[in-house]
């Protein structure tokens, strides 16, 4: 048991993985944000000063801060390691899960997000990634790989004539067979016993949560589940990647996409279905999330994948446009409706703090944001400029994006107009009759986002404080 207990290096890897979601760029920001602001100030002072004595003094101060930071982080890491060791040696008898809603989908996650439990679950994910050599790619990287595969062959007439198979695993997390999964984990000598015990406790909690989960199902809102799902689908990934007709194979959780040679469509599709059936999984119905673009075919066609819509011309030799997907468009529209509801609730647009709150909501919906690298603030990617960054080619064909921008402009400006008595260039509140201050002029703000070009060219703005950011996200994505 002692050889498998967590080390300080394990804890550092967990903290560093968390840190990747932060806007902390300097090399000194190793595990936490402790003293980062002070250290950054010293770096800036050294760059600006021309006085040698002053430079030496600031350099000495910097070395002292780095030493203090290192000592503080070593203490934190050791404290976390001790917490993990105590948890492993004295684990809880039961774990509790709950069902909730996040981003318009049902999730199963921890009932109470206790820090030691979260840290231990991340440790399990780390050990599983190491044992099974799991490489997990994010959405952006997968889309870039897909674009390289599509665009890179546009000039070659023969090689570009390929078929695209796109499908979705039905009820993926809820259908994972835990008996098969635990058997696979137990047979691997590199998996510590406390991990299989952790999975068993999760399994018991799933059974208590719903009788449908007696044998199958993993919670889709905890860190270890994403790694466990990758391990579960290992045989599928290997089989499809090794098929001679498959040039590119991508999978993001339950979303599968393969670029294959013409004539092999049925063979590859049947292979995927067979592999999934052996794991107790099924493909979603063809009229739901199943797409097959074949050659030769003279009609315009396309598919949606990871939030984007890819459209090909009739020859299939060229990708004619990339638009945001129908699902993403609908979600963005719901966020606009939520902002409009907030404006509706305002009795006064001059004296109400809600107007400033509504303006911040619009900014978070449309513009990118950045964090102060010294504060350790979470790097929240936000705004249409981020979520539509892969949109390209003909603006005339980007109907979803154009539709959303027009919808946002018309709906929000329409709501504001009902709150104002507009007389020439003067805008007055219909409640109190006072002129609306420029800083609360949401009408003018919305004109900035009148086109996608304006949105993409808008500079990033700083994040608001954490509590206000949470309130904004609750409005947008409630």
């Amino acid at each position: 048991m002692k050889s498998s207990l967590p080390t300080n290096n394990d804890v550092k890897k967990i903290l560093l993985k968390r840190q990747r979601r932060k806007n902390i760029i300097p090399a000194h920001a190793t595990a936490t944000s402790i003293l980062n602001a002070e250290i950054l100030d010293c770096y800036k002072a050294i760059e600006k000063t021309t006085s040698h004595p002053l430079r030496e003094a600031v350099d000495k101060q910097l070395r002292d801060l780095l030493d203090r930071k290192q000592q503080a982080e070593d203490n934190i890491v050791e404290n976390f390691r001790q917490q993990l060791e105590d948890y492993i040696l004295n684990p809880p008898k039961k774990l509790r899960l709950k069902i909730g809603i996040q981003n318009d989908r049902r999730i199963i996650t921890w009932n109470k997000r206790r820090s030691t439990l979260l840290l231990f679950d991340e440790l399990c994910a780390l050990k599983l990634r190491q044992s099974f050599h799991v490489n997990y790619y994010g959405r952006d990287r997968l889309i870039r790989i897909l674009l390289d595969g599509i665009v890179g062959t546009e000039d070659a007439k023969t090689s570009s004539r390929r078929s695209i198979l796109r499908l979705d695993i039905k009820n993926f997390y809820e259908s994972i067979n835990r008996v098969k999964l635990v058997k696979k984990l137990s047979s691997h000598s590199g998996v510590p016993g406390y991990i299989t015990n952790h999975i068993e406790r999760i399994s018991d909690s799933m059974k208590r949560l719903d009788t449908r989960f007696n044998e199958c199902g993993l919670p889709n809102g905890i860190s270890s589940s994403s790694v466990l799902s990758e391990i579960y689908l290992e045989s599928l990934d290997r089989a499809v990647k090794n098929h001679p007709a498959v040039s590119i194979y991508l999978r993001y959780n339950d979303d599968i996409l393969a670029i294959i040679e013409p004539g092999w469509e049925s063979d590859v599709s049947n292979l995927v279905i067979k592999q999934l059936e052996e794991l107790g999984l099924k493909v979603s119905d063809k009229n739901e999330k199943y797409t097959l673009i074949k050659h030769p075919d003279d009609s315009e066609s396309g598919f949606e994948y990871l939030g984007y819509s890819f459209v090909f011309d009739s020859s299939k030799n060229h990708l004619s446009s990339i638009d945001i997907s129908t699902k993403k468009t609908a979600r963005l529209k719901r966020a606009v409706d939520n902002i409009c509801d907030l404006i509706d609730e305002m009795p006064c647009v001059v004296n109400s703090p809600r107007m400033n709150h509504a303006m911040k909501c619009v900014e978070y919906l449309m513009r990118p944001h950045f964090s102060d690298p010294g504060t350790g603030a979470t790097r929240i990617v936000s705004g249409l400029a981020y979520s539509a960054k892969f949109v390209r080619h003909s603006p005339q064909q980007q109907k979803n994006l154009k539709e959303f921008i027009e919808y946002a402009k018309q709906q929000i400006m329409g709501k504001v107009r009902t709150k104002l008595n507009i007389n020439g260039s003067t805008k007055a509140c219909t409640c109190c009759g006072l002129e609306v201050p420029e800083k609360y002029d949401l009408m003018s703000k919305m004109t900035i986002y009148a086109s996608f070009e304006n949105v993409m060219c808008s500079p990033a703005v700083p994040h608001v404080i954490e509590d206000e950011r949470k309130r904004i996200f609750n409005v947008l994505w409630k």
Side-chain angles (χ1 to χ4, degrees), residues 341-394:
D341 290 343
L342 179 67
I343 296 172
D344 271 339
E345 296 168 0
M346 296 179 193
C348 177
V349 297
V350 175
N351 298 314
S352 174
R354 291 184 179 179
M355 178 54 81
N356 188 51
H357 186 48
M359 293 174 68
K360 291 295 183 183
C361 289
V362 171
E363 280 191 349
Y364 267 86
L365 183 62
M366 307 295 277
R367 298 180 70 171
H369 286 70
F370 66 88
S371 303
D372 181 348
T375 63
T378 305
R379 180 182 180 271
I380 302 296
V381 288
S382 64
L384 190 65
Y386 172 82
S387 60
K389 63 183 176 183
F390 290 108
V391 168
R392 59 172 64 181
H393 299 306
S394 173

Side-chain angles (χ1 to χ4, degrees), residues 38-86:
E38 293 87 344
I39 292 171
L40 279 173
D41 288 341
C42 284
Y43 276 125
K44 293 174 183 177
I46 290 173
E47 289 177 358
K48 292 179 180 180
T49 185
T50 56
S51 168
H52 183 69
L54 181 58
R55 180 186 290 271
E56 285 188 338
V58 176
D59 190 59
K60 183 178 181 300
Q61 182 185 0
L62 175 60
R63 290 195 301 272
D64 179 61
L65 286 170
L66 290 172
D67 289 341
R68 286 168 53 196
K69 177 179 175 66
Q70 186 65 57
Q71 183 61 47
E73 290 192 348
D74 286 346
N75 292 337
I76 290 173
V77 167
E78 174 58 27
N79 181 48
F80 281 160
R81 188 204 62 78
Q82 187 62 52
Q83 289 180 35
L84 286 171
E85 185 172 312
D86 292 343

